[in-house]
Amino acid sequence: MRNRILVACVGVPVILVVLFVLPEAFTPALIAVLSVIGTYEALHAIGMNHPRIALYTALVALAIPFWVYFGEPRQWGLLVLLVYLVLVFVEAFASRLRVKIDRVGAGFFFAFIISYCLSSVVRVGNLELRDSYVFLPILLPFVVDAGAMFVGMFLGKHPFAPVLSPKKTVEGSVGGLIVGVGITLLYGLVFHFITDVEVNYYFLAVYGILGSVITEVGDLAFSYVKRNRKIKDFGHILPGHGGVLDRFDSVIFCAPLIELLIQWLPAFSKGAGA
């Protein structure tokens, strides 16, 4: 627990500095770093141990956040995909069938899913009201995870998904949802007082409810991968948490949902004096 708190005390301020203090180009850089590390963790988990194919796959994950930042130009995306396909199959041919095609496919799947879904933070950061929205896709799943953990520790009695996540409880999941809705509304209240934006709290409540639910789905999805591969954690880079995927698994699911909700139900708008 001590290590988890220390990592949060260091990691959250770093994320805040990148999102709110440094130039906007640092946002895709942060997402690219997280995507590369997460992709390597996923490749290790599925047993993709061919070093060059792993490198090519990680480079695709690295490129996606910057591709998104520059507007997802189709020609560049197609070029990177084509080069990747050629390189991977050249390596596969040279391996004389030692490279397993299912692991190649799974590696690309994880690289694309991890990087493109995390890049929702980049797309939200390109919006007009970026400062109001950009931290929400990260804050909400972090808080829901923490709320579910603490409520589960003190009140949890009924297992929620014993096969996938033995420590997860029904009480913890409900507590995470309540905390998620509460922090989302508080987030809107804070931004209303420190900026000139108008806030739709009903829409923010929807963000909190749906975001909390999909956060649980994301956590269970990557728990499924770990149980399937018989590993406890994806990595050890974050003491007390495990790997990047152990910490950002729920963000991978929650960030795209928040991006969609922002488009469909914009919770922030310019104030009358703006």
Side-chain angles (χ1 to χ4, degrees), residues 60-251:
V60 170
L62 178 72
I64 287 174
F66 294 102
W67 177 64
V68 169
Y69 179 71
F70 288 108
E72 304 180 27
R74 185 178 60 183
Q75 294 87 345
W76 285 105
L78 186 60
L79 176 61
V80 169
L81 179 61
L82 180 60
V83 171
Y84 174 78
L85 287 173
V86 170
L87 290 175
V88 165
F89 277 98
V90 166
E91 296 289 351
F93 299 156
S95 76
R96 296 183 180 180
L97 300 181
R98 287 193 299 272
V99 170
K100 303 301 181 183
I101 193 64
D102 56 337
R103 293 179 183 176
V104 173
F108 179 76
F109 169 81
F110 278 112
F112 183 80
I113 292 299
I114 292 168
S115 191
Y116 194 72
C117 289
L118 287 179
S119 292
S120 284
V121 177
V122 178
R123 287 186 290 272
V124 171
N126 286 337
L127 298 176
E128 184 179 8
L129 295 176
R130 78 175 303 276
D131 288 345
S132 299
Y133 286 116
V134 70
F135 189 45
L136 197 54
I138 298 175
L139 173 67
L140 180 56
F142 276 17
V143 169
V144 171
D145 282 341
M149 181 183 70
F150 283 111
V151 173
M153 285 173 57
F154 293 105
L155 301 177
K157 294 181 180 179
H158 301 89
F160 181 69
V163 175
L164 296 179
S165 186
K167 295 182 179 180
K168 191 177 291 294
T169 63
V170 174
E171 293 82 1
S173 297
V174 172
L177 188 150
I178 294 171
V179 171
V181 173
I183 201 67
T184 307
L185 295 175
L186 179 61
Y187 181 91
L189 188 65
V190 168
F191 268 92
H192 177 67
F193 279 104
I194 67 175
T195 68
D196 60 357
V197 298
E198 297 295 331
V199 182
N200 188 314
Y201 292 100
Y202 296 106
F203 288 174
L204 276 181
V206 174
Y207 289 17
I209 294 170
L210 296 182
S212 298
V213 171
I214 204 165
T215 289
E216 295 282 358
V217 174
D219 187 52
L220 289 174
F222 279 88
S223 292
Y224 173 85
V225 176
K226 288 188 286 188
R227 298 297 174 267
N228 188 268
R229 299 301 300 172
K230 296 180 173 58
I231 58 175
K232 182 178 183 296
D233 295 314
F234 282 105
H236 308 285
I237 194 171
L238 300 175
H241 295 271
V244 164
L245 287 182
D246 296 292
R247 175 65 278 177
F248 285 85
D249 51 3
S250 51
V251 181

Side-chain angles (χ1 to χ4, degrees), residues 249-260:
D249 51 3
S250 51
V251 181
I252 293 169
F253 276 66
C254 189
L257 174 67
I258 296 300
E259 180 189 356
L260 290 171

